[in-house]
Amino acid sequence: MAILLSGRDLARRIEAEAKERAAAFGDEPPGLAVVLAGDDPASRGYVRSKRKACARNGIESHLVEMPPDSTQQAVLAEIAALNSDTSVDAILCQLPLPSGISPSVVASAVDPSKDVDGFHPMNVGRLWRGEDCLLPCTPAGIMRLLSEYGIKPEGRHAVVLGRSTIVGKPMAAMLLAANATVTVAHSRTADLQSLCRSADILVSAVGVPGLIRGSWVREGAVVIDVGTTYVDGSPRGDVLFEEVEPVASHLSPVPGGVGPLTIAMLMSNTVRCRAGRGARGSA
Ligand code: NAP
């Protein structure tokens, strides 16, 4: 039976720490701006959760809502304004963006010191160079989760399923920095099952519910399920829980595993952005 890796308690502690650090800024608290372009209901829900988290942690949130027919130029103009707004320390553009707007162009327009999601090329480059930088929230939360449960990636074979800019690639970089031997798999990978069976640590960030069967997992492996796909209103992970739980040594459940950590790390990163900017007048 696997030990379940709960993200809830850890997320609470990360937020408590962020709240305490936010309070230290007194009447100049950290400010997070969220750009929400379009009318995707899931995005609205995520943005609501992020703003609620700001409210409970003493972080000011600024919402920039833009219509679904917004042009890339209009989004870039909003970002330019937020870059020069001294009350804004951190900027997040909720994905997905409306069609015709390039997420990578938008990410590149954010001031790297306000790049709370760690998607700007400068932060991506620093991550791969092993330098200190703002880290993407979901994989950073996973690294905290592993550490919380005493799981050391060093010398182990980590297989990351998924190669997105948001999860898969930065996850691979962070595991590599922690001295794991990393393989990144994706939709074109041949014989995924054998590859997964060779993993000591398997991180699945695909979005196909039940993809990872018990027979895909080596006895005693650590399995991190990032997948979150809503089926009939409930979140479903990539892992077929009832088959994998008896085989894995550790398993993060969906919900309650990785999910809560993403928002907690967003709070932590926002405070870090604020700390990097010093007194308001000097920004
Ligand atoms: P994404 O951009 O759609 O990337 C999915 C990746 O999975 C791609 O690299 C794709 O390969 C690969 N893939 C798709 N089908 C596959 C298959 N059958 N076998 C192997 N690989 C396959 O998604 P994402 O943004 O990284 O998110 C992945 C999942 O994590 C989603 O369920 C998302 O909701 C969840 N998520 C959760 C959190 C959280 O806080 N809990 C945060 C972010 C994301 P190709 O590159 O070849 O297309």
Side-chain angles (χ1 to χ4, degrees):
M1 273 194 16
I3 293 170
L4 295 187
L5 302 173
S6 166
R8 288 201 172 111
D9 286 348
L10 177 58
R12 265 194 287 272
R13 268 185 283 129
I14 293 169
E15 284 196 24
E17 198 182 292
K19 184 176 182 175
E20 196 181 317
R21 289 175 58 211
F25 293 101
D27 58 3
E28 294 185 340
L32 170 67
V34 178
V35 178
L36 175 60
D39 52 8
D40 178 47
S43 292
R44 285 200 171 276
Y46 292 136
V47 167
R48 219 175 7 255
S49 304
K50 289 168 185 176
R51 298 192 78 211
K52 271 195 198 163
C54 286
R56 68 175 174 260
N57 291 300
I59 291 171
E60 273 178 7
S61 69
H62 311 250
L63 177 62
V64 179
E65 282 188 275
M66 304 187 69
D69 59 355
S70 300
T71 61
Q72 182 165 290
Q73 204 182 2
V75 173
L76 294 179
E78 288 292 351
I79 289 177
L82 295 170
N83 281 343
S84 52
D85 184 338
T86 54
S87 69
V88 170
D89 302 296
I91 303 169
L92 176 159
C93 291
Q94 185 63 45
L95 301 175
L97 290 161
S99 65
I101 303 182
S102 158
S104 86
V105 169
V106 169
S108 303
V110 173
D111 177 336
S113 70
K114 296 189 178 189
D115 173 33
V116 74
D117 266 332
F119 295 162
H120 187 282
M122 186 179 287
N123 284 314
V124 175
R126 283 185 178 151
L127 169 60
W128 282 99
R129 284 168 57 137
E131 295 170 5
D132 188 41
C133 62
L134 285 157
L135 297 170
C137 298
T138 301
I142 292 169
M143 294 307 288
R144 290 282 298 257
L145 189 63
L146 293 175
S147 162
E148 176 76 5
Y149 283 85
I151 298 162
K152 294 185 174 57
E154 177 153 346
R156 303 174 87 182
H157 182 208
V159 172
V160 179
L161 289 193
R163 55 175 163 179
S164 71
T165 314
I166 299 168
V167 190
K169 284 177 185 160
M171 184 79 260
M174 288 178 213
L175 287 164
L176 191 60
N179 296 319
T181 302
V182 182
T183 306
V184 182
H186 45 79
S187 66
R188 315 288 172 86
T189 298
D191 197 2
L192 203 54
Q193 177 175 355
S194 300
L195 180 66
C196 290
R197 272 192 74 82
S198 73
D200 301 310
I201 299 174
L202 177 62
V203 180
S204 186
V206 171
V208 175
L211 176 73
I212 311 294
R213 311 285 308 255
S215 58
W216 290 37
V217 174
R218 200 174 55 71
E219 187 84 34
V222 174
V223 181
I224 304 292
D225 192 354
V226 189
T228 314
T229 308
Y230 282 84
V231 180
D232 300 330
S234 303
R236 296 269 309 279
D238 291 345
V239 171
L240 198 57
F241 186 90
E242 59 272 27
E243 284 189 13
V244 172
E245 192 270 342
V247 183
S249 66
H250 298 78
L251 170 61
S252 71
V254 176
V258 173
L261 292 168
T262 298
I263 285 189
M265 292 310 297
L266 176 66
M267 299 298 105
S268 180
N269 275 1
T270 301
V271 174
R272 178 183 164 149
C273 290
R274 174 69 187 90
R277 308 191 75 72
R280 289 278 188 230
S282 69

